[in-house]
Amino acid sequence: MTAASWLALVVVAACALAAARLLGAARAEALRRFLEPRGVRAGVAALLFFVLLALAAPLVSAYGPAAQLDITGLQSAPPSWRHLMGTDLLSRDVWARITFGARVSLGIGVLATVVSVGLGALVGGAAGYFRGPTDAVLMRLVDVGLAVPRIFLVLAVLALGHPLGAASLALLIGCTGWFATSRLVRSEVLSLRERVFVEGARALGLRPWRILARHVLPGTGAVVIVAAALGVANAMLLEAGLSFLGVGVQPPVPSWGNMIADARDQLATAPWASLFPGLAITAVVVALHAVADGVRSALDPHAPLAS
Amino acid sequence: MAAWLPRRVGAALLTVLAVVTLVFFAIHLAPGTPFLPSGDRPLDPAVEAGLRARFGLDRPLGIQYARYLAALARGDLGESFAQQRPVGAALAQALPNTLVLAGSALAVDLVLGTLLGVLMAARAGRRPDRWLGAATLVVYALPTFWLGLVLLLAFGQWLHWLPVGGVTDPVIHDALGFGGRFVDRVRHLVLPALSLGLVGAAGTARFQRAAMLEALGQGFVRTARAGGLSERQVLGHALRNALLPSITLLGLALPFLLTGSVVVESVFSWPGMGKLAADAIQARDYPVVLAATLVAAVLVVCGSLLADLLYAAADPRIRRESA
Amino acid sequence: MPTLARRLRTARAAAVLAVASLLGSCEPKGTCRGEYCGTLVFAAIGQPVSLLPPATDQALDRDIFDQIFLRLADIGPDLNTVGDSGFVPRLADRWGWTDSLTLAFHIDGRARWQDGVPVTARDVAFSFAAFTDSALDSPYRDELKRIASVTAADSSTAVFRFRARYPEMFYDATYYLRVVPEHVLRLEPFARWRTAPFGRSPIGDGPYRLVNWTPGQSLELVADSAFFLGRPHIERLIWRFDADLSVAVTQVVAGEADAIEVLGSPANVARARATPHLTVYPYAGSVYTMVGFNLREPGGVPHPILADPIVRQALVLATDRERMARSVFGGMAKVPPGPIPEEWASLWSGVAPVPPYDTVEAARLLASRYWLPGPGGVRQRAGRRLALTLLVPSTSPPRRQYAQLIQEELRAVGVEIRIELVDPPTLDQRLRAGRYDAAIESWGNDPAPSSGLPGAWKTGGEANFGRYSNRWFDRAVDSAVNARSPGAAADAWRTALDTLAEDAPAIVLCAPDNVAAIDARVAGVRLRPDEYWADVWTWRIPPDRLIERDRLGH
């Protein structure tokens, strides 16, 4: 860590806190209410911190994520002022890999969730709105998807051929995770479609898809946001598990999951190489859960906290 | 309920069939020879053709599917390429281990989670609740394999309190008495079950806390308190009501446990279905992958069916409605 | 509340009972004392597939069937493979050359199969037929092809007839052939041996026999007290199967296992050294690791980048192999002058020296072949980027480490390396199909160069995945293999290796030492580089060092 990177880190942290505070003073009532509990504020601040960290990775770390500094002299060095989180077996700076790894892990989590929430909302919305045979077929499909544990699905596809790049991996994780979301969206849509404004829209002669997209789905916002927050968390945990089994993100691209896998053999002798990525994953997942809880209780204070 | 039950079971069977079909076709489209040629020599084409014929891989896909369904009906799950023996045998040995592990993890999950949830609800808003709330939030977010590695390192290597992997001690197990064998198995089960169960317990605790709080806010509680019942008795009544929603958790727990078992079994060398599947995918051992996925899906479907039945049996409101 | 108090009391009583039973029935009581006790637990990675020798070439399978099946004669501790000297009698108690092409072995009359049937020369002839059968396609079929026939002159004399004279006739006759029981296996057609049930419940003639095999968990062998070459001192051998190296090392360090054959990394060696009850044994390695280049694409077309020997030489010069070996293995590996393991000690001297680390020369060579610096720091020639895919098995931590080190080093001279982590079957398939640019391969070798070098580098060799072809090399190998004297053979091998050094069909990374860790209570430990546990039946645990599990007997 150089002075410049310390400065950049401080700036990033300050920005995250400031942004969280700004959001808390926003004009929108729902947003303010959502950010009222301390846990949610902390969670949002943490998420903003990690996102900014990922974006500002080159500024915040003094070394590149793949730079092997001294392969015979600086292997598995413990944390110090120069190397905030120590170095790994290939003498790469762990802090640098954490920040660049944030890009990969968060990126995969977000991309996978965009896919899974998008698919889930689409399928769940269609099933809930059109009902009848569409609903029956789609929900049978969802039953099948929910029946097979997610990791088996992913492993089965991964066994088909070449290792996937980060983007393809994210797509695959996303395509295996939309089933529960579709169920949730469907229930919401089922109740929403009986509302007066939908009847009005139908009376006005608007086409069904337009009603669904413009009027009904936006009403599922709360459910979708919660599903998205949890979806990112689950996608990140799944990616970590896949990288641990050796079929996730490929080296030298750092992801928090494959950092743990790489450092697994040195857990006893150089724990920092796997400790910090594990803590990073945990921190982001905690923040996401806090945000999800916040959304849920802000919009429906009587709903039990179920995850 | 009588009308709902056959439909529910029928849907479950259809789901299982659909799963089998999907996985079958997916796996059979995989490239790569399943036969690991010996050492540095390619397998003689004639020999490989013979092995393919023996495992039925030379027929068209549709005929293979029909034969597979027929075999499943007979209970024959095919023969493993890597282990040179029937898949059924491999699964018969692996499945009980996974069930034991998942069952123990579920027990940890439910018992510990419920206890913590009740405790948090009883002290709602005060310091124990806040501390436990933070702790459960963190534990729920831990990656299970990472937790497993840390526990293995701490208790297995540093402290030497618990054994490092395996189901039983291969050396002394047979020489122990009945009590000793039981203890041996329990000692090997502790760390894997904790790794799988603690994360779930944290989630259950949070869920139970909310359910308890909701139950405590209801009318019958005020009546009970007014009637002079002690706080402990009130909690007991509330708990009985709060436990109902957690039956639905049972249905959700099984997929989570099976997913987690794939990595946890690898960490602890626990010879269960998860490890079998992970090894089989590495070795392109088609029949084993197929069978493991099928069994996992069947377990999940049965589990959720069971949970639905339990819920209907337990909640008199549901029963009355369907009658 | 009275009910509560009672409940508390019962809970406390139950807890006391549980703790008592925990402490009580834990330790088993064993009764064995004296010279012939002992339980040795091996921590192994992976799982065995079959214990029938011709049907498998996996190292773990071989470790185990090493204890169950005998050879006619075993290689001596000096690993000499030329001529007859140093070989130790096993199944055969004496032998003789009846003429220059005929070798006769006399089977020891005391040798018996585990079911009591005596071992005869018919078993030897039958085993030869199995090992050379085309349907079974055993891994040693090629090595045995210079033996014309093996016949049983009578029940205790097996006669080997060779096609021509060459230095390693005795080695070929004895090393590859493990004798299997004809009376048990004769009804099983050779083609079905790979899946035969015998592979999971073998009947052998060696110092140990299989008593228990729990797939995925462990396997137990028990000493044959009537073994004709001397009763093994260690009564039980148990293999524990682990998913990966770190768990295996942890088991050994924690005392749950007694032996591990390869510690694998300097960190693991340090852990073992820091453990007081373990003794660490370094021994000559039988493995070398290299980056193999693919010189031809599928279809026979020369590889657009790697068919050029100048480019290959540049790639070799651009990698600091000494430093990488130190980084990955500490001091536990050397950089060999060619694709040879430490085991082939005689070939390390007299060969052209290891190419130096010289990035300036590497850059110059690349530029001389018109690979000029281009965008993104990657060299280009006529629009094609100097980019290669490097295949690495996901199951090998040292090779994964090497892959990332090489990637960085080659990036410095403008070569882009894309790492593809694949599992071993996929790696194998891509190598055979020629669908790769480069791959980090680790080759385990038998004691004789003739069983490794021709197959890997000769035109059409069965392990020559890169399709390297050089007729000077082929000629040198042929003269080495057919040389009349060991000296002439060694000279010819060195010429062959010099040719390889010039052509650079691979970057030879290292030849690692093997370092094993074995519990300190075991005495008389000897490790053979080619077969780590070959001498286990001669080890012993002195009676004063027996621990609890050693006393359990059968």
Side-chain angles (χ1 to χ4, degrees):
Chain A
M1 290 289 279
T2 58
S5 48
W6 275 113
L7 185 63
L9 181 59
V10 167
V11 167
V12 162
C15 283
L17 280 170
R21 187 150 294 173
L22 266 173
L23 282 173
R27 268 185 294 170
E29 155 95 39
L31 199 54
R32 265 214 316 279
R33 212 162 22 104
F34 156 63
L35 280 166
E36 199 198 297
R38 218 168 25 159
V40 179
R41 271 211 306 277
V44 169
L47 284 176
L48 284 171
F49 173 69
F50 277 104
V51 169
L52 287 173
L53 197 69
L55 292 171
L59 299 168
V60 175
S61 32
Y63 311 97
Q68 293 160 6
L69 304 168
D70 180 356
I71 61 174
T72 48
L74 210 53
Q75 287 177 287
S76 297
S80 63
W81 282 115
R82 286 201 58 197
H83 301 283
L84 189 59
M85 293 184 171
T87 63
D88 68 4
L89 189 63
L90 283 128
S91 70
R92 298 177 295 202
D93 183 40
V94 175
W95 168 249
R97 290 177 68 80
I98 292 267
T99 55
F100 281 90
R103 290 184 169 185
V104 177
S105 295
L106 285 174
I108 290 183
V110 170
L111 182 57
T113 306
V114 164
V115 170
S116 70
V117 166
L119 273 175
L122 198 66
V123 171
Y129 191 77
F130 294 115
R131 302 222 291 217
T134 319
D135 183 16
V137 166
L138 286 174
M139 283 303 112
R140 282 292 83 76
L141 198 62
V142 166
D143 280 341
V144 173
L146 284 173
V148 184
R150 195 168 177 190
I151 202 171
F152 283 87
L153 271 180
V154 176
L155 285 179
V157 175
L158 285 175
L160 281 177
H162 294 273
L164 298 176
S168 319
L169 189 65
L171 280 176
L172 175 62
I173 294 179
C175 288
T176 54
W178 55 269
F179 309 109
T181 312
S182 70
R183 276 260 179 89
L184 289 169
V185 171
R186 176 180 172 276
S187 329
E188 282 294 305
V189 167
L190 274 177
S191 65
L192 278 172
R193 81 196 289 283
E194 306 308 325
R195 299 273 202 87
V196 175
F197 69 88
V198 174
E199 272 195 53
R202 247 184 267 137
L204 278 174
L206 292 177
R207 279 198 310 257
W209 274 107
R210 202 183 158 92
I211 301 179
L212 180 61
R214 283 289 203 84
H215 300 280
V216 178
L217 278 180
T220 64
V223 169
V224 166
I225 292 180
V226 171
L230 297 175
V232 175
N234 289 331
M236 287 180 63
L237 288 171
L238 184 59
E239 180 268 317
L242 290 171
S243 301
F244 179 75
L245 291 177
V247 290
V249 176
Q250 307 290 309
V253 178
S255 93
W256 292 343
N258 74 18
M259 284 172 75
I260 300 179
D262 277 346
R264 175 196 177 151
D265 294 323
Q266 291 90 43
L267 202 60
T269 49
W272 47 89
S274 52
L275 185 74
F276 290 116
L279 287 177
I281 297 178
T282 308
V284 172
V285 172
V286 166
L288 286 166
H289 283 152
V291 166
D293 284 349
V295 172
R296 244 192 254 115
S297 42
L299 289 145
D300 183 6
H302 296 297
L305 287 170
S307 304
Chain B
M1 203 163 94
W4 157 90
L5 184 61
R7 250 188 341 158
R8 184 77 181 75
V9 173
L13 284 173
L14 264 176
T15 308
V16 169
L17 187 65
V19 169
V20 170
T21 313
L22 272 175
V23 180
F24 173 89
F25 281 110
I27 296 296
H28 271 70
L29 291 171
T33 169
F35 309 114
L36 195 63
S38 42
D40 51 343
R41 308 154 55 84
L43 209 56
D44 191 293
V47 179
E48 175 159 339
L51 283 167
R52 287 192 103 89
R54 175 133 193 274
F55 286 116
L57 293 175
D58 56 340
R59 307 288 193 82
L61 216 55
I63 301 212
Q64 286 187 51
Y65 181 67
R67 282 173 64 174
Y68 188 81
L69 283 182
L72 273 183
R74 277 199 311 268
D76 171 17
L77 287 157
E79 207 170 299
S80 158
F81 297 147
Q83 289 191 36
Q84 319 286 6
R85 60 184 185 135
V87 176
L91 269 179
Q93 264 171 340
L95 189 56
N97 291 324
T98 295
L99 288 178
V100 165
L101 178 61
S104 317
L106 195 60
V108 168
D109 182 335
L110 290 177
V111 170
L112 190 61
T114 309
L115 276 173
L116 285 177
V118 169
L119 189 59
M120 292 204 292
R123 304 272 179 274
R126 284 174 287 177
R127 207 174 315 164
D129 177 36
R130 284 211 301 270
W131 283 102
L132 277 177
T136 51
L137 192 59
V138 170
V139 171
Y140 191 60
L142 292 174
T144 44
F145 65 93
W146 193 72
L147 180 62
L149 282 177
V150 170
L151 287 177
L152 188 63
L153 184 74
F155 293 98
Q157 212 211 321
W158 280 341
L159 293 168
H160 291 319
W161 282 357
L162 290 167
V164 183
V167 179
T168 58
D169 189 323
V171 183
I172 60 173
H173 186 78
D174 291 326
L176 293 169
F178 178 76
R181 285 193 211 195
F182 181 73
V183 168
D184 187 36
R185 282 186 187 273
V186 167
R187 287 183 75 228
H188 281 83
L189 187 55
V190 169
L191 289 181
L194 275 181
S195 311
L196 258 188
L198 277 178
V199 175
T204 304
R206 298 169 62 71
F207 183 84
Q208 277 298 94
R209 175 187 181 278
M212 274 292 285
L213 284 177
E214 176 167 346
L216 282 172
Q218 295 199 338
F220 76 88
V221 169
R222 261 177 288 149
T223 316
R225 282 210 185 103
L229 288 179
S230 82
E231 198 55 31
R232 189 156 288 159
Q233 284 172 317
V234 168
L235 274 177
H237 280 296
L239 182 60
R240 248 168 270 143
N241 273 273
L243 276 181
L244 212 55
S246 48
I247 293 181
T248 57
L249 279 186
L250 274 178
L252 294 171
L254 202 51
F256 170 74
L257 288 173
L258 288 174
T259 300
S261 76
V262 175
V263 280
V264 166
E265 287 180 9
S266 289
V267 170
F268 289 98
S269 303
W270 188 267
M273 231 177 50
K275 184 158 174 298
L276 194 69
D279 294 344
I281 278 181
Q282 290 251 337
R284 299 290 193 285
D285 200 344
Y286 303 167
V288 176
V289 176
L290 200 60
T293 310
L294 172 61
V295 172
V298 168
L299 283 175
V300 169
V301 168
C302 286
S304 65
L305 188 61
L306 196 66
D308 282 351
L309 285 172
L310 274 176
Y311 196 90
D315 190 344
R317 289 176 289 179
I318 303 276
R319 264 190 305 204
R320 223 180 307 128
E321 268 165 63
S322 330
Chain C
M1 203 139 310
T3 45
L4 189 63
R6 213 185 305 144
R7 258 188 253 141
L8 274 175
R9 256 182 285 139
T10 32
R12 209 182 9 235
V16 167
L17 202 65
V19 170
S21 72
L22 213 108
L23 298 173
S25 56
C26 255
E27 283 305 316
K29 297 291 174 276
T31 55
C32 187
R33 316 225 179 279
E35 275 294 320
Y36 295 100
C37 306
T39 300
L40 206 60
V41 182
F42 297 94
I45 294 124
Q47 287 210 57
V49 173
S50 167
L51 297 179
L52 178 54
T56 173
D57 196 36
Q58 273 205 92
L60 180 55
D61 298 13
R62 192 205 53 197
D63 282 348
I64 300 171
F65 71 60
D66 230 355
Q67 322 298 331
I68 303 177
F69 293 97
L70 291 177
R71 299 182 165 104
L72 286 169
D74 226 340
I75 201 170
D78 59 353
L79 297 188
N80 170 53
T81 62
V82 172
D84 298 6
S85 70
F87 283 87
V88 178
R90 289 275 181 261
L91 207 48
D93 56 359
R94 57 182 188 273
W95 49 79
W97 291 92
T98 54
D99 63 52
S100 65
L101 294 178
T102 312
L103 178 61
F105 290 91
H106 179 263
I107 311 293
D108 196 313
R110 304 167 293 168
R112 264 166 191 37
W113 297 106
Q114 282 156 12
D115 54 3
V117 173
V119 181
T120 67
R122 278 178 54 181
D123 293 317
V124 180
F126 176 75
S127 307
F128 180 77
F131 270 89
T132 50
D133 183 75
S134 57
L136 175 55
D137 197 28
S138 88
Y140 295 123
R141 203 151 69 96
D142 258 14
E143 276 80 358
L144 293 170
K145 64 176 186 266
R146 280 184 288 180
I147 301 172
S149 72
V150 173
T151 51
D154 56 55
S155 71
S156 61
T157 311
V159 178
F160 283 66
R161 254 182 214 94
F162 294 85
R163 298 183 208 280
R165 277 190 63 198
Y166 59 100
E168 291 177 341
M169 295 161 85
F170 194 89
Y171 172 73
D172 278 357
T174 54
Y175 191 80
Y176 303 112
L177 195 65
R178 285 207 200 242
V179 183
V180 294
E182 186 238 0
H183 67 286
V184 179
L185 283 167
R186 64 163 176 240
L187 293 175
E188 186 86 47
F190 289 143
R192 296 176 67 100
W193 277 29
R194 279 177 197 278
T195 53
F198 186 92
R200 297 190 85 80
S201 53
I203 296 172
D205 52 357
Y208 289 90
R209 60 179 203 283
L210 176 72
V211 294
N212 185 24
W213 182 352
T214 313
Q217 265 203 274
S218 64
L219 178 152
E220 184 176 337
L221 304 181
V222 155
D224 182 357
S225 56
F227 183 56
F228 69 102
L229 291 173
R231 180 182 177 182
H233 287 267
I234 298 183
E235 174 73 12
R236 292 201 297 166
L237 301 180
I238 297 183
W239 266 264
R240 296 187 67 154
F241 305 131
D242 294 316
D244 66 64
L245 184 61
S246 61
V247 174
V249 173
T250 305
Q251 283 178 346
V252 175
V253 165
E256 291 181 19
D258 297 313
I260 183 166
E261 64 191 20
V262 177
L263 284 165
S265 74
N268 288 337
V269 175
R271 268 172 84 183
R273 281 193 207 276
T275 312
H277 65 81
L278 286 180
T279 309
V280 165
Y281 296 87
Y283 56 106
S286 56
V287 171
Y288 67 81
T289 302
M290 68 180 193
V291 177
F293 293 132
N294 190 9
L295 272 50
R296 284 185 190 285
E297 304 211 293
V301 176
H303 193 282
I305 300 172
L306 293 170
D308 185 343
I310 308 276
V311 170
R312 299 197 302 264
Q313 281 168 13
L315 292 177
V316 173
L317 290 171
T319 49
D320 191 352
R321 284 139 281 127
E322 301 270 346
R323 198 139 181 266
M324 287 198 291
R326 248 182 306 140
S327 176
V328 176
F329 286 107
M332 286 166 21
K334 304 194 203 35
V335 181
I340 54 181
E342 291 179 354
E343 215 183 2
W344 300 343
S346 60
L347 291 183
W348 280 64
S349 56
V351 183
V354 174
Y357 171 53
D358 191 342
T359 48
V360 173
E361 177 68 6
R364 193 188 69 77
L365 286 175
L366 286 173
S368 76
R369 303 303 291 155
Y370 307 107
W371 289 104
L372 301 169
V378 180
R379 289 179 186 263
Q380 279 192 329
R381 182 175 78 178
R384 178 187 282 276
R385 301 174 82 221
L386 187 46
L388 300 168
T389 308
L390 182 64
L391 289 185
V392 184
S394 54
T395 51
S396 169
R399 282 190 262 174
R400 286 196 339 245
Q401 208 180 336
Y402 259 113
Q404 301 197 52
L405 293 172
I406 293 170
Q407 187 183 44
E408 272 305 292
E409 297 211 331
L410 289 181
R411 192 204 297 207
V413 289
V415 181
E416 179 184 307
I417 297 283
R418 192 171 73 89
I419 298 176
E420 237 187 278
L421 269 187
V422 292
D423 55 26
T426 309
L427 175 65
D428 196 75
Q429 187 219 355
R430 300 262 308 259
L431 284 174
R432 287 171 201 290
R435 284 190 290 120
Y436 69 106
D437 294 329
I440 305 189
E441 309 170 42
S442 274
W443 290 97
N445 293 276
D446 293 329
S450 59
S451 58
L453 282 173
W457 305 110
K458 247 184 112 166
T459 310
E462 71 257 6
N464 189 353
F465 302 127
R467 325 272 176 98
Y468 169 69
S469 177
N470 181 325
R471 58 165 200 247
W472 301 111
F473 176 82
D474 293 349
R475 256 186 234 174
V477 165
D478 284 337
S479 56
V481 156
N482 295 308
R484 291 304 166 93
S485 73
D491 282 339
W493 286 123
R494 291 196 193 101
T495 313
L497 286 172
D498 284 337
T499 320
L500 280 183
E502 232 181 79
D503 279 340
I507 307 175
V508 183
L509 293 172
C510 64
D513 300 339
N514 280 334
V515 184
I518 299 176
D519 194 283
R521 74 184 194 283
V522 183
V525 171
R526 257 191 346 224
L527 291 159
R528 250 174 56 184
D530 63 317
E531 271 169 19
Y532 316 121
W533 308 132
D535 292 328
V536 163
W537 66 286
T538 61
W539 302 356
R540 45 187 285 275
I541 301 177
D544 57 330
R545 292 194 223 159
L546 292 176
I547 61 174
E548 206 46 60
R549 65 162 172 260
D550 290 331
R551 294 191 229 272
L552 302 168
H554 261 259

